[in-house]
Amino acid sequence: MKKAVCPGSFDPITNGHIDIIKRAAELFDEVTVLVVTNPDKKCVFSPEERCRLIEKAVEGINGVKVDSFSGLLADYVKQNGISAIVKGIRSSSDFEYEFQMALANRSLAPNAETVFITADPQNMYVSSSLIRQIAAFGGNVSDFVPKNIVEEIEKRLK
Ligand code: COA
């Protein structure tokens, strides 16, 4: 069984993430969407809230599960027999950042490959901070996040 992980802070999950998760689910038998800590970021949603939103957002996508972990991604990958770390790439600046992480993860967990999937052009400008900002000022985020979590995100951030 080929297992992959889609890691991120998901603060909150966006349509851009969903696009990558769906395409990863076509390539692997099992995909875990993993809420991990980026020590450089202060998140607005708690890990539990982020997992709950992701669980609703991935309803109906076969072979996808949700988990959270506070530690090194490489350790999670080794502990769970995962063979691929899937990342979405929106731009060359994403690549610079992701390339460095991929090399570090390769050194820490040599049995796992990082696989880059190019973002759908429609979602290239979408980011979690953009969504947080729009919702905080009372804007409509329904074009940027899955329909079944719009209300919860807008209510929570307004
Ligand atoms: N479409 C749209 N937006 C996307 C996207 C896509 N396909 N992919 C990412 N984004 C956005 C996110 O919304 C996020 O936006 P924000 O900066 O406004 O919050 C941004 O791009 C970066 O997201 P993400 O890929 O989740 O990166 P991150 O920096 O938040 O998370 C971790 C990186 C959590 C995976 C990384 O820090 C990690 O592995 N941490 C665990 C500790 C560890 O192992 N550290 C060593 C790593 S070598």
Side-chain angles (χ1 to χ4, degrees):
M1 190 195 222
K2 286 275 176 208
K3 292 200 224 174
V5 65
C6 285
S9 1
F10 302 110
D11 189 40
I13 190 161
T14 71
N15 285 341
H17 296 127
I18 293 292
D19 167 50
I20 302 298
I21 294 161
K22 275 187 182 156
R23 288 156 67 195
E26 297 284 327
L27 298 172
F28 298 94
D29 302 310
E30 184 184 280
V31 174
T32 301
V33 183
L34 187 68
V35 173
V36 254
T37 308
N38 177 345
D40 299 329
K41 280 186 181 172
K42 199 171 178 303
C43 287
V44 172
F45 292 89
S46 70
E48 294 74 26
E49 284 177 308
R50 285 178 271 156
C51 284
R52 202 186 57 245
L53 287 170
I54 298 169
E55 267 155 17
K56 279 175 84 174
V58 301
E59 262 169 24
I61 312 176
N62 286 335
V64 175
K65 57 183 211 169
V66 183
D67 198 4
S68 65
F69 186 68
S70 53
L72 280 178
L73 176 62
D75 288 339
Y76 184 90
V77 160
K78 285 190 280 190
Q79 286 161 19
N80 292 280
I82 287 167
S83 52
I85 299 168
V86 176
K87 292 298 199 90
I89 298 283
R90 292 166 299 169
S91 61
S92 51
S93 58
D94 268 3
F95 181 74
E96 293 277 318
Y97 173 64
E98 294 296 347
F99 188 61
Q100 190 186 21
M101 277 200 283
L103 290 175
N105 282 324
R106 184 174 162 78
S107 169
L108 295 166
N111 292 333
E113 294 291 347
T114 294
V115 175
F116 293 127
I117 295 183
T118 49
D120 185 311
Q122 215 185 328
N123 297 313
M124 288 235 169
Y125 64 97
V126 180
S127 71
S128 301
S129 42
L130 183 99
I131 284 149
R132 290 197 304 272
Q133 201 173 102
I134 294 171
F137 287 108
N140 179 349
V141 298
S142 60
D143 282 346
F144 312 116
V145 303
K147 300 282 174 247
N148 62 347
I149 59 169
V150 169
E151 203 183 320
E152 192 171 340
I153 290 177
E154 289 184 347
K155 225 191 228 168
R156 170 74 167 73
L157 293 175
K158 206 167 171 182

